[in-house]
């Protein structure tokens, strides 16, 4: 996995870099003293993980994440515990307090390397021609056709996959799931919701109707949603 370090403290960067040298599965692509430089780098480079300080000049780590439409996985490295709740609201992987012991750092990295993910490699071996995936539910793998999914809802560290006749709950981050779903069939319309565009019955500026369900459109997603759905308006 590729990663970058964003921190305004040179010593903090050196420590994280030294830790990373001990972990073969992570490749460091860059080190940045502020979020503006990191933002520019991300425009041209794919990164899987950011080790990110919070209190930095020009732009805080929290605000930096909010500027990214599809942010990589994030591990906060900070001297302040006051932002922990807001950090986890942003779906960060972990929150490390400086000075960071190596064993604690390793534990955070393990969460990334072994992050539970839904196996989203499409298959067409069921004879119907429909793509399907398996979602891990407890100790079972539940087969779900993509054409049956109405919408997906994020609830903390879990997602609810809603079909017309059932609800599947699996441990997963919605941001990671979004990266694997086929587009433009699936569209993120809210921080907590992804919908199957093919299942839409009606929509307005505030919500989308899918069968008996009403799914809200997030303020920060409204322009992109209207642009995507407005292509077929006459």
């Amino acid at each position: 996995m590729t990663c970058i370090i964003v921190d305004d403290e040179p010593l903090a960067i050196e420590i994280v870099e030294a830790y990373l040298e001990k972990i073969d599965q992570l490749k460091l692509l860059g080190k940045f003293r502020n979020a503006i430089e990191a933002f520019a780098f991300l425009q041209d480079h794919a990164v899987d993980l950011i080790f990110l300080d919070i209190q930095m000049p020009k732009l805080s780590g929290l605000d930096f994440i909010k500027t990214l439409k599809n942010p990589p996985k994030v591990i906060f490295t900070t001297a302040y515990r006051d932002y922990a709740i807001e950090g986890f609201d942003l779906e960060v992987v972990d929150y490390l307090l400086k000075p960071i012991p190596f064993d604690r750092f390793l534990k955070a990295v393990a969460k990334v390397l072994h992050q539970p993910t839904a196996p989203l490699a499409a298959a067409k071996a069921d004879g119907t021609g429909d793509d399907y995936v398996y979602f891990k539910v407890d100790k079972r793998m539940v087969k779900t056709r993509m054409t049956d999914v109405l919408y997906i809802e994020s609830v903390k560290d879990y997602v609810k996959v809603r079909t017309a006749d059932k609800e599947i709950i699996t441990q997963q981050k919605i941001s990671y799931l979004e990266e694997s779903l086929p587009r433009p069939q699936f569209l993120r319309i809210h921080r907590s919701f992804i919908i199957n565009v093919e299942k839409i019955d009606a929509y307005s500026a505030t919500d989308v109707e899918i069968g008996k369900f009403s799914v809200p459109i997030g303020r920060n997603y409204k322009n992109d949603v209207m642009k995507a759905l407005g292509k077929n308006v006459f």
Side-chain angles (χ1 to χ4, degrees):
M1 297 183 67
T2 58
C3 63
I4 61 174
I5 304 169
V6 187
D7 200 310
D8 64 329
E9 300 177 19
L11 179 58
I13 291 178
E14 289 179 14
I15 291 173
V16 173
E17 184 176 11
Y19 286 172
L20 289 173
E21 290 177 355
K22 302 177 181 180
I23 303 174
D24 294 337
Q25 296 98 320
L26 291 177
K27 179 181 180 181
L28 182 62
L29 296 185
K31 302 171 288 183
F32 305 94
R33 296 287 297 275
N34 63 69
I36 303 299
E37 295 176 359
F39 181 84
F41 181 83
L42 291 176
Q43 303 311 300
D44 300 313
H45 300 83
V47 172
D48 299 311
L49 173 64
I50 303 177
F51 293 95
L52 180 63
D53 190 14
I54 292 181
Q55 288 201 344
M56 295 183 292
K58 299 183 180 180
L59 186 68
S60 74
L62 293 170
D63 290 335
F64 172 52
I65 296 177
K66 296 173 184 177
T67 67
L68 304 176
K69 186 174 180 180
N70 294 302
K73 300 176 180 67
V74 173
I75 294 176
F76 275 136
T77 56
T78 177
Y80 303 91
R81 63 175 70 246
D82 300 343
Y83 303 100
I85 294 177
E86 187 171 358
F88 286 115
D89 282 344
L90 292 171
E91 299 183 350
V92 301
V93 174
D94 210 335
Y95 192 100
L96 302 181
L97 287 173
K98 300 173 182 176
I100 305 168
F102 180 66
D103 60 340
R104 181 65 182 86
F105 181 87
L106 198 59
K107 184 177 180 181
V109 169
K111 292 181 181 180
V112 178
L113 298 178
H114 304 293
Q115 185 75 40
T117 56
L120 289 174
K124 294 185 179 180
D126 60 354
T128 66
D130 291 337
D131 291 346
Y132 64 86
V133 298
Y134 286 97
F135 289 104
K136 186 176 182 181
V137 181
D138 296 325
K139 296 181 179 181
R140 298 185 305 132
M141 304 301 291
V142 179
K143 181 178 179 179
T144 307
R145 291 187 178 86
M146 290 287 90
T147 54
D148 292 339
V149 175
L150 302 181
Y151 67 86
I152 297 166
E153 178 182 2
S154 172
V155 184
K156 294 185 178 179
D157 291 333
Y158 293 82
V159 294
K160 296 180 181 179
V161 181
R162 169 66 71 175
T163 69
D165 58 357
K166 63 183 177 181
E167 181 180 79
I168 301 166
I169 301 177
T170 182
Q171 187 175 7
Q172 178 67 260
K173 293 285 189 179
I174 194 170
S175 55
Y176 306 154
L177 184 57
E178 179 186 15
E179 296 173 2
S180 302
L181 291 169
R183 300 178 184 180
Q185 181 182 357
F186 288 89
L187 177 66
R188 183 85 172 261
I189 68 169
H190 187 281
R191 180 178 170 184
S192 301
F193 289 95
I194 296 173
I195 63 167
N196 185 345
V197 174
E198 297 175 359
K199 299 295 185 179
I200 295 175
D201 294 314
Y203 73 91
S204 68
T206 58
D207 59 19
V208 171
E209 295 178 19
I210 299 179
K212 62 181 180 180
F213 303 102
S214 177
V215 183
I217 297 174
R219 182 178 59 183
N220 294 334
Y221 294 83
K222 182 177 178 180
N223 289 339
D224 290 341
V225 172
M226 292 299 108
K227 186 182 299 184
L229 300 184
K231 294 178 180 179
N232 295 320
V233 172
F234 298 95

